[in-house]
Amino acid sequence: MNNLSRSESYAAAGVDITAGYKAVELMKKHIAKTVTEGVCSGIGDFGGLFELNTEGMKHPVLVSGTDGVGTKLKIAFLMDKHDTVGIDCVAMCVNDIICCGAKPLFFLDYIACGKNYPEKIASIVGGICDGCVQSGAALIGGETAEMPGFYKAYEYDLAGFAVGIVDKEKIIDRSTMAEGDVIIALPSSGVHSNGFSLVRKVLNVETADIKTPLEELGGKSIGETLLTPTKIYVKPVLKLLESVRVKGISHITGGGFYENIPRSIPDGLCALIEKSAVKIPPIFDLIADKGNISERDMFNTFNMGVGMSIVVSKEDEGEALRILNDAGEDAYVIGKIVKSDRKIEVV
């Protein structure tokens, strides 16, 4: 810790430099568990250094993704629970780049807050590190910005980005998709990290009781259920890619089925989703009921229990399901690829 750097004037303006140093010291134990073979810089350096190993690759391609947690953070504020939103931040980035077939290499975070409470910042970073471990990425840097007057003292925002790598010839580009291919669902852990502006409105989270356990939510409270971190699919998907030719992957986030699944479908083909096959968690029924939201809008806003969809040939269906289930996923088929210009139909 730097004991020489302290500005009384800056502290009087609301920025405590020493709180930042304490936060860094507290988070070091979390960051240490994310270190991978390529890391060659330490916390506190001006840049995060990562040595790229391209052995065995003909044409290595870097793949990047960036995202934040959005207004789900409001639930964390209300519940005063900050150790899982970091997982959401990592998940929203690494789940995107795995759609290309890329293995995550490293992650960087950005936290902006009204007041730097070192223990809270360390708790947030602890969640980020948990997400990095789940995805096999190293946390090689980040930034914490104390911004009094811009954020309320107890508020913060959280964003980050990930970089991964894939051999050019193994990029998943939907070019081999064909009629008759099957669509496999990987279940979500809940609402994940999108649609929370609507969730907060219909559930009145600012004034309603979100801490009392509810029978319809399996004995969990609304707040606890909503804070369930976004599931990270990297390791199961990488395992699948070792043995099965995957033709398309969609990370289902904002825009739900109707926006995300078509992004992995080529022109002239359509994802035909069997609505009755989708296993919908109770939280979505509660949201639809409280907000009087149409089924179409629910499928066009939320993941509805499917965090990721994967397209494989009919011949590979059994093997794909076996590999994914052996990797801990409760994978199941929700549809097939048909000829159509509509890109997606949910029937």
Side-chain angles (χ1 to χ4, degrees):
M1 182 182 295
N2 187 343
N3 294 315
L4 299 177
S5 178
R6 175 171 175 78
S7 169
E8 297 295 342
S9 298
Y10 210 4
V15 178
D16 185 354
I17 298 173
T18 59
Y21 298 146
K22 182 178 179 181
V24 170
E25 288 299 315
L26 291 174
M27 66 178 71
K28 281 183 177 179
K29 63 180 180 181
H30 300 296
I31 297 171
K33 65 185 180 184
T34 76
V35 174
T36 60
E37 185 179 348
V39 176
C40 46
S41 62
I43 297 302
D45 291 346
F46 286 100
L49 305 180
F50 192 92
E51 185 176 3
L52 195 60
N53 182 358
T54 61
E55 185 178 354
M57 292 188 176
K58 295 180 179 179
H59 299 98
V61 175
L62 295 179
V63 182
S64 60
T66 185
D67 211 333
V69 182
T71 64
K72 181 174 184 173
L73 292 176
K74 289 282 190 180
I75 311 298
F77 303 159
L78 291 167
M79 297 292 288
D80 194 22
K81 180 175 171 58
H82 312 282
D83 60 342
T84 60
V85 290
I87 299 175
D88 291 290
C89 190
V90 176
M92 297 301 285
C93 299
V94 297
N95 283 347
D96 276 353
I97 67 175
I98 193 63
C99 290
C100 301
K103 176 184 178 181
L105 296 174
F106 58 83
F107 186 85
L108 282 85
D109 67 81
Y110 174 78
I111 304 170
C113 58
K115 182 174 176 59
N116 188 330
Y117 297 102
E119 290 77 11
K120 179 187 287 187
I121 297 300
S123 181
I124 297 166
V125 173
I128 293 170
C129 293
D130 288 341
C132 286
V133 170
Q134 290 179 33
S135 62
L139 180 61
I140 65 169
E143 174 70 14
T144 301
E146 191 172 12
M147 301 167 65
F150 196 88
Y151 295 95
K152 295 178 181 178
Y154 64 89
E155 290 186 341
Y156 56 85
D157 199 6
L158 174 61
F161 79 91
V163 173
I165 192 169
V166 62
D167 202 334
K168 188 174 183 178
E169 65 183 22
K170 295 182 179 180
I171 294 174
I172 300 170
D173 62 2
R174 70 189 179 181
S175 61
T176 61
M177 201 174 295
E179 182 180 20
D181 290 342
V182 297
I183 305 169
I184 295 174
L186 299 187
S188 70
S189 55
V191 182
H192 282 184
S193 300
N194 65 274
F196 270 83
S197 293
L198 179 57
V199 169
R200 289 167 41 241
K201 177 182 178 182
V202 302
L203 296 183
N204 298 312
V205 298
E206 300 286 348
T207 57
D209 178 9
I210 63 170
K211 296 184 179 181
T212 299
L214 299 178
E215 184 178 344
E216 58 263 46
L217 296 179
K220 293 185 177 181
S221 68
I222 289 174
E224 184 182 4
T225 301
L226 293 177
L227 274 185
T228 303
T230 304
K231 197 169 187 180
I232 293 176
Y233 301 100
V234 170
K235 290 182 179 179
V237 172
L238 287 176
K239 195 69 177 177
L240 178 67
L241 292 173
E242 292 177 3
S243 304
V244 173
R245 186 177 190 181
V246 174
K247 301 186 175 187
I249 304 178
S250 294
H251 180 204
I252 303 180
T253 56
F257 280 45
Y258 286 97
E259 180 177 325
N260 292 289
I261 294 179
R263 293 167 67 179
S264 66
I265 309 297
D267 292 341
L269 294 178
C270 170
L272 184 63
I273 305 295
E274 295 179 27
K275 192 162 45 185
S276 61
V278 178
K279 301 175 183 178
I280 303 175
I283 184 62
F284 295 108
D285 295 327
L286 181 64
I287 293 168
D289 179 62
K290 294 290 187 181
N292 193 27
I293 304 171
S294 70
E295 187 176 68
R296 174 64 165 72
D297 281 357
M298 289 295 294
F299 274 89
N300 202 175
T301 306
F302 302 107
N303 66 60
M304 298 303 286
V306 180
M308 187 163 278
S309 64
I310 299 175
V311 178
V312 300
S313 68
K314 179 64 178 177
E315 292 74 19
D316 287 331
E317 174 187 336
E319 180 69 358
L321 289 173
R322 183 192 66 77
I323 292 171
L324 291 167
N325 289 322
D326 285 349
E329 294 294 328
D330 185 21
Y332 63 99
V333 174
I334 56 168
K336 61 184 178 181
I337 301 298
V338 299
K339 287 185 178 180
S340 173
D341 292 326
R342 293 177 61 89
K343 285 294 185 83
I344 184 169
E345 289 188 42
V346 183
V347 297

